[in-house]
Amino acid sequence: MNELKKEILILIGFLQERDYSIRKLSRILFAGGIFKVQTWQSLKEKVSELPNSDLLNKIKDILQGEYNRSLHFGKKAVVFFDISTLSETELAEFEDKLKHVIDANLSTAYAQTFPNLLPKNILEEQSTQLVCVQCQPSKSGSLDKFWVCGRNSFRKRREFILGEAPEDIQEYFREFDGYSYDEIIAIRKDFKQSVSYFTIDKDNKILTLYSDTTAITSQSDMDYLSESLFNYLLNIFPVLVSARKKNIGNAIRALYDEEIGRVTSFSHYTDSGSVKHEKLDRKNSKEDLRLEPYHASGMVTIQSQTEFHAIEKKWKSISQNELFEPTISLSYKSFLESTTRISACYVVEIDDCACQEDLDLMTKKIFEFSQ
């Protein structure tokens, strides 16, 4: 096998390790004038069988682009911290300490491999300790990115459509008669490598965490990732103990009221204390829930006077690429502070961004709408 094919198979492995949707990748490949595929294995086989041609270079460019997209603006759990209590001197000291930490980590496996993922056999040897590996200066001169790698080991159940499951799972089910690629199965997920980053806005005194949640599905896991990243920074610079998470719950109603975009899921509290949840079904997934007759009549009946609980909303990509729809999901959650139970929303999930401008716009929306 020539070197080009080996490089393509490595990229396929990177995307598969990040639980990238093979269906999504198939649509992107087909839109690029290449073939459709149903499974990761069939993609590997087609690449292996192709003669040396320009098509291989085209496939590599698409896969490299998708890996970079997934890394920089793929699925993120975003949390804002108010660091207005820190002085200019303390912020400068914080950045200086981070750069020293990065220098000290240059010999780590994460730093030497970044931005690529560690091979699984090497990742197995790593602890769950996070490692700050790089400061990436902003091209626009605004906010630098500080990249942090680590190993996550969430032992939980996760649902897969069989055709999108890891190849070893598909291999297992092929031994049985009558299995279908559309079947939903539940498996225990093994460890994954996270590649997260954070930014420091010294003008507005805001620390923003972008936790890598590509392989994560539950809200509790997203909370854990964000808390782990902040605690790591706290160990580097204990003065951050004064930082406070920003409650972004007000953004839920603001997103609902904003005319542009499509609401695809919505929850609100009822007078009896329960939560009513509405979601577009697959048949109507391209519609706007706010225009659905049953929902619209219900909101008229209560004159829109209800306490909002959660929302999922989608927009067209700034890139005009119709294969992507930047998506925001956020919801209130109950917390116990001292002896009082309160409801707050600290984490927003941002997914399906086609470019950095999409992610920046989604982040800006949430921050401004939460005021």
Side-chain angles (χ1 to χ4, degrees):
M1 182 180 295
N2 65 29
E3 289 301 316
L4 179 56
K5 288 185 179 181
K6 288 180 181 178
E7 291 175 6
I8 292 173
L9 292 176
I10 289 173
L11 285 170
I12 292 173
F14 286 160
L15 290 169
Q16 193 172 1
E17 278 300 307
R18 290 180 64 76
D19 287 352
Y20 192 98
S21 169
I22 187 61
R23 292 187 175 185
K24 180 88 165 183
L25 184 59
S26 178
R27 292 196 294 269
I28 293 170
L29 288 169
F30 188 69
I34 308 175
F35 42 69
K36 288 184 177 181
V37 289
Q38 279 192 316
T39 68
W40 290 106
Q41 185 59 31
S42 64
L43 176 56
K44 293 174 185 175
E45 290 173 355
K46 286 191 174 186
V47 167
S48 299
E49 294 168 359
L50 280 174
N52 296 331
S53 64
D54 291 340
L55 186 59
L56 282 174
N57 285 308
K58 197 172 182 180
I59 292 172
K60 180 189 173 183
D61 289 343
I62 289 176
L63 295 179
Q64 185 67 63
E66 281 312 293
Y67 175 71
N68 292 339
R69 189 196 65 78
S70 170
L71 188 73
H72 287 268
F73 28 87
K75 185 179 175 185
K76 308 290 182 191
V78 180
V79 180
F80 304 99
F81 281 85
D82 181 346
I83 53 174
S84 58
T85 57
L86 272 65
S87 66
E88 297 295 330
T89 302
E90 287 172 326
L91 284 173
E93 184 183 352
F94 179 33
E95 287 196 336
D96 190 53
K97 287 203 172 211
L98 287 169
K99 290 171 183 176
H100 278 91
V101 167
I102 292 171
D103 289 340
N105 289 332
L106 288 176
S107 62
T108 64
Y110 291 118
Q112 292 182 351
T113 308
F114 185 82
N116 294 330
L117 300 181
L118 289 178
K120 197 143 192 174
N121 63 319
I122 297 178
L123 184 60
E124 285 178 348
E125 301 170 356
Q126 309 303 309
S127 71
T128 55
Q129 176 65 45
L130 295 176
V131 179
C132 192
V133 297
Q134 189 180 104
C135 174
Q136 179 184 8
S138 170
K139 292 181 180 179
S140 62
S142 53
L143 301 177
D144 297 343
K145 291 181 179 179
F146 291 88
W147 289 91
V148 179
C149 295
R151 172 186 144 177
N152 299 322
S153 183
F154 298 106
R155 307 306 300 173
K156 64 183 183 62
R157 297 185 67 83
R158 175 174 178 187
E159 288 188 347
F160 279 100
I161 295 175
L162 185 54
E164 298 178 356
E167 188 57 35
D168 57 339
I169 302 299
Q170 294 190 39
E171 287 285 352
Y172 173 78
F173 278 92
R174 287 194 188 104
E175 298 177 6
F176 300 91
D177 293 331
Y179 81 94
S180 167
Y181 280 111
D182 291 328
E183 296 239 5
I184 299 292
I185 60 171
I187 67 170
R188 297 190 73 83
K189 192 185 73 171
D190 60 0
F191 56 85
K192 296 285 184 182
Q193 179 178 338
S194 66
V195 187
S196 305
Y197 68 87
F198 60 94
T199 61
I200 305 169
D201 186 339
K202 288 178 283 190
D203 294 331
N204 297 304
K205 299 289 186 73
I206 295 293
L207 170 68
T208 307
L209 310 186
Y210 295 83
S211 296
D212 178 16
T213 56
T214 304
I216 307 303
T217 56
S218 74
Q219 181 65 51
S220 60
D221 284 348
M222 291 185 189
D223 294 339
Y224 171 74
L225 281 173
S226 299
E227 290 168 5
S228 297
L229 181 52
F230 181 73
N231 287 334
Y232 173 66
L233 300 180
L234 192 59
N235 286 331
I236 295 173
F237 193 61
V239 178
L240 282 176
V241 71
S242 63
R244 291 291 176 263
K245 276 191 289 189
K246 181 176 177 61
N247 186 350
I248 55 176
N250 288 339
I252 298 177
R253 179 178 285 275
L255 288 169
Y256 184 92
D257 292 339
E258 179 197 37
E259 290 187 8
I260 61 173
R262 302 187 301 111
V263 173
T264 54
S265 177
F266 168 75
S267 302
H268 67 91
Y269 295 99
T270 66
D271 292 338
S272 60
S274 62
V275 175
K276 181 181 178 183
H277 179 65
E278 298 177 50
K279 182 178 181 180
L280 291 172
D281 60 21
R282 183 174 296 181
K283 179 181 178 182
N284 299 307
S285 61
K286 294 298 182 182
E287 303 299 324
D288 189 334
L289 178 63
R290 294 172 295 183
L291 304 179
E292 194 270 328
Y294 180 85
H295 172 83
S297 62
M299 293 299 282
V300 169
T301 301
I302 61 175
Q303 298 180 342
S304 298
Q305 299 302 308
T306 183
E307 188 177 351
F308 286 38
H309 174 261
I311 195 168
E312 179 185 270
K313 191 173 182 182
K314 299 176 181 288
W315 292 262
K316 291 182 179 180
S317 170
I318 292 174
S319 70
Q320 301 299 314
N321 188 334
E322 296 182 357
L323 294 172
F324 294 91
E325 269 193 302
T327 304
I328 282 177
S329 304
L330 68 162
S331 65
Y332 276 101
K333 185 178 178 181
S334 294
F335 299 88
L336 192 62
E337 288 192 358
S338 185
T339 58
T340 306
R341 183 163 292 278
I342 65 168
S343 289
C345 177
Y346 296 121
V347 182
V348 56
E349 177 189 322
I350 303 178
D351 195 13
D352 210 26
C353 295
C355 55
Q356 186 66 53
E357 290 76 11
D358 284 342
L359 179 57
D360 290 344
L361 178 59
M362 297 298 103
T363 306
K364 182 180 178 182
K365 276 181 184 290
I366 292 298
F367 187 81
E368 293 181 348
F369 283 170
S370 63
Q371 304 297 335

